[in-house]
Amino acid sequence: MHVDSGRVSLRKPEKNGRRHEPGTLCFKHFVSRGLLASTVWVPRQWLAMLLDQFSSFCVLLNLMASPDTLIVNITAVLSVLCFVTYLNDLHMNLTWTAVSFSLVFPLQTAIREAFKRREAALMALAEFRATSTNVFLANQLWDWPGADGWYGRFEDNVPKDQGGKGIKKGAFKDTPLNKRHADRVLEIMLRLMDAMQEFLLVPRRGRGRQEFCVCFSPEKEQVEAAEMKGRNAVLKLLARLHKAVEDLKAAGMPANEASRINQYNMFLSRNFEKLWSFKTYRTPTTLRAVCRVNIQLMPFFFGPYYVHLARNTDGEIIRGRLIFACIFSCLLSTTLVALLNVAILLENPFRPGMDTLRIQEEFYLCREALITVAGEAEVDWHQKVEFEWEIIDNHQGCTSSEESA
């Protein structure tokens, strides 16, 4: 077999081991990882450590910036002062086992289960995106035998000697495929992406206030109504994709090929129902309710321990030890609030956030993928492929050569 060396390049792999990557004092780029990776400038290790530490503090402050933090800190300070002032004799070194069972373990379980749901939702979204691209490609490119040649898809009932693509025969003679079939399917797919994005960004249901505070807020009814509007829009567009397959069958596409496209449509419906389940169902609301209430009440039950911290060996309340007891109580309660906020943020994997799914970005990529593959319809599959970063690299190499000459 002959291989054109001008079209295929073999790159020798880099040897394992550490190497000095070029760059500046603060930043570097990984030349050893390839041309595309070398376009990214990353901070060197010492700067990355400082930036990561600063970012971690910012994330923690963001988690603590909630009304729960203010309330729990007031509760934490009041619990210490109340026990020191009114229950001065009640002091003991309590065990923290109760905190582990009543708070830490439920919070750990809630975060773990919420993260599992987030990963499963991400896989369903990835499958939906991949299937949608293949549904469009099938409607755009799949062809079948015609009356007197292969390209039955393009037969338009105009003789070839008159500038047409050929005349259909048999049962398909009156139903040539519309020239805008691929464009129509593309429009449906883009609208499907719009409907999915709008549906997934609807505020979530399953909150305790939606069950016990219905008389104060119409949130529950509005959320359910918005979800049903999004669901109906998606189902209507999925039904139209099946109608598009019927047009292909009417134009002569073999039944087995049409059945394969309908199977892709079924995959889209299945992934949508998965996303619907992740959107409308939650991990136990009671678990989060127990954690929220216990965090607020815990400082009062551990008041004797804070009095124990505030006393010296002679049994006297020392101002410095009292301040430390208040700070320790606030720190513990604030940390638990931060963990509870992590569980709440992960509870809805589709809400905008740092650790949730980037829905707007994901569906932008869906639309971009559809438009990209649509532009490849007129390109020969065997045409040489040049990557954008290789063109830039070659241009820079030629410029350097000219300057040195």
Side-chain angles (χ1 to χ4, degrees), residues 331-345:
L331 178 63
L332 179 62
S333 299
T334 303
T335 303
L336 293 174
V337 168
L339 292 175
L340 177 62
N341 287 337
V342 171
I344 294 174
L345 290 174

Side-chain angles (χ1 to χ4, degrees), residues 73-88 299-300 303 306-307 310 317 319 322-323 325-327 329:
N73 278 314
I74 294 175
T75 304
V77 175
L78 287 178
S79 66
V80 177
L81 297 180
C82 287
F83 272 86
V84 169
T85 304
Y86 301 106
L87 298 172
N88 194 6
F300 287 101
Y306 299 132
V307 176
I317 301 296
R319 182 178 180 182
L322 177 61
I323 294 175
C326 292
I327 294 176
S329 178

Side-chain angles (χ1 to χ4, degrees), residues 5 83-84 93 121 133 233 364 366:
S5 59
F83 272 86
V84 169
N93 187 8
T133 304
Y364 172 80
C366 288

Side-chain angles (χ1 to χ4, degrees), residues 141-340:
L141 299 178
W142 285 14
D143 211 334
W144 55 87
D148 55 356
W150 170 251
Y151 300 102
R153 177 189 186 92
F154 301 101
E155 290 179 338
D156 53 4
N157 280 345
V158 178
K160 293 183 178 179
D161 55 4
Q162 297 181 12
K165 300 295 184 180
I167 298 180
K168 286 187 172 294
K169 297 180 180 179
F172 316 110
K173 62 180 179 179
D174 297 326
T175 54
L177 186 65
N178 192 287
K179 294 181 179 180
R180 296 194 65 253
H181 179 83
D183 294 334
R184 291 173 175 176
V185 174
L186 178 60
E187 292 175 2
I188 293 176
M189 297 302 298
L190 292 176
R191 293 301 292 166
L192 178 61
M193 299 304 122
D194 294 339
M196 286 292 296
Q197 177 178 319
E198 294 291 334
F199 159 68
L200 292 177
L201 290 178
V202 172
R204 72 177 179 91
R205 69 167 84 176
R207 299 178 184 270
R209 65 172 183 263
Q210 295 173 355
E211 299 296 332
F212 298 97
C213 303
V214 179
C215 56
F216 295 101
S217 172
E219 179 185 6
K220 180 180 179 181
E221 291 78 7
Q222 292 175 354
V223 168
E224 292 177 352
E227 287 176 344
M228 288 306 301
K229 288 179 181 179
R231 177 181 176 84
N232 291 335
V234 171
L235 292 177
K236 289 177 181 179
L237 292 168
L238 291 174
R240 293 193 180 190
L241 291 177
H242 283 274
K243 293 181 179 180
V245 177
E246 293 303 309
D247 281 359
L248 293 174
K249 289 168 62 178
M253 173 177 274
N256 60 329
E257 297 295 331
S259 176
R260 179 63 59 87
I261 301 178
N262 277 329
Q263 185 182 34
Y264 293 168
N265 292 333
M266 184 272 292
F267 290 160
L268 276 181
S269 299
R270 183 183 62 186
N271 292 325
F272 165 68
E273 293 297 341
K274 287 182 180 180
L275 293 171
W276 167 267
S277 299
F278 289 123
K279 179 66 178 175
T280 56
Y281 285 89
R282 296 286 176 264
T283 55
T285 304
T286 53
L287 186 63
R288 297 189 301 277
V290 168
C291 292
R292 191 187 295 271
V293 173
N294 283 349
I295 288 174
Q296 299 293 340
L297 297 179
M298 184 197 67
F300 287 101
F301 288 96
F302 274 81
Y305 176 77
Y306 299 132
V307 176
H308 173 76
L309 291 180
R311 285 175 174 270
N312 61 7
T313 55
D314 297 330
E316 299 176 350
I317 301 296
I318 305 301
R319 182 178 180 182
R321 297 174 69 96
L322 177 61
I323 294 175
F324 173 77
C326 292
I327 294 176
F328 180 75
S329 178
C330 292
L331 178 63
L332 179 62
S333 299
T334 303
T335 303
L336 293 174
V337 168
L339 292 175
L340 177 62

